[in-house]
Amino acid sequence: MLTADASRRQRLRARVHEAHENLDGLIGALETARDYQRYLMGMAAFRLAAEAAIESCRFPSWLDAWQPISTRVALKEDLATLRLPCVVVPALAPPETDSGLLGMLYTLEGSALGARLIAKRAKALGYDEVFGATHLAVQTAAPENWRVFLDLLEAAPVFDLDEAGAAASRLFRNAYDAMILADHAGDKVHG
């Protein structure tokens, strides 16, 4: 149970907990090359759409020129290296409010935490920063970006938890849907 003085991060984490757990369960332990390739196709589909939505909006001045980590180029390189198709998902709408932007950024930037674990699993399967897991190296190379974002989240002059939580949850659902599509595409690649 959250206390009244819970941070915005804690409140957002509570809002997306179920969606986050569902996505983690779908991704699984990544025990085989096929598991990792399915993950890569789904993550690429999701991140390409999500990053395009974020890049199409104007950032408020109070974000102090901070920018999220972009994995788009590295994901495309990883797909090409492993000769995997780029699964296409419907375009995502950019956030309509600053709180919505914060929720989307929370989801995208926070994924760098899980990417550290996934990078270790990928390495055990033979994928690393020069072969098939370049995007994970990019995503985990600047942990300070997450800490700066969290400071900006807490200091933001505008924050509506409902809007931020809805936007963050929507991104988790989009990632989940992209993983399902990648699973079907993976069956065709490996079938």
Side-chain angles (χ1 to χ4, degrees):
M1 191 79 183
L2 293 176
T3 63
D5 62 343
S7 69
R8 290 174 177 177
R9 175 188 182 186
Q10 291 168 324
R11 289 183 278 162
L12 271 173
R13 185 176 359 173
R15 287 282 176 111
V16 300
H17 178 75
E18 184 177 343
H20 193 174
E21 291 292 315
N22 289 340
L23 179 60
D24 284 350
L26 183 61
I27 291 171
L30 303 179
E31 296 172 335
T32 67
R34 187 174 180 169
D35 291 344
Y36 176 75
Q37 292 170 11
R38 178 184 53 85
Y39 160 80
L40 175 60
M41 289 188 299
M43 189 53 57
F46 163 67
R47 294 267 328 191
L48 294 176
E51 288 182 20
I54 293 293
E55 290 171 4
S56 70
C57 68
R58 192 173 142 276
F59 279 37
S61 61
W62 44 263
L63 279 176
D64 292 332
W66 174 90
Q67 289 292 309
I69 301 291
S70 175
T71 60
R72 180 181 25 212
V73 171
L75 281 162
K76 289 179 181 179
E77 288 173 10
D78 289 340
L79 289 172
T81 296
L82 300 181
R83 295 188 173 129
L84 295 171
C86 185
V87 177
V88 178
V89 298
L92 300 179
E96 296 179 8
T97 66
D98 289 346
S99 294
L101 175 62
L102 287 170
M104 289 178 79
L105 291 171
Y106 170 84
T107 300
L108 287 176
E109 282 300 303
S111 67
L113 302 174
R116 289 187 208 139
L117 176 61
I118 291 171
K120 289 177 186 173
R121 291 176 180 165
K123 191 167 187 99
L125 296 170
Y127 303 107
D128 60 21
E129 64 276 357
V130 295
F131 181 73
T134 307
H135 76 283
L136 293 169
V138 168
Q139 195 174 11
T140 60
E144 66 279 356
N145 210 54
W146 171 241
R147 289 189 292 274
V148 171
F149 171 73
L150 290 176
D151 290 342
L152 291 167
L153 172 66
E154 295 304 323
V158 176
F159 183 77
D160 181 288
L161 180 60
D162 290 334
E163 289 176 5
S169 294
R170 191 168 36 257
L171 268 194
F172 273 106
R173 282 191 306 278
N174 291 127
Y176 187 93
D177 292 346
M179 289 295 167
I180 295 290
L181 288 173
D183 198 30
H184 295 305
D187 288 343
K188 291 178 185 173
V189 169
H190 296 99

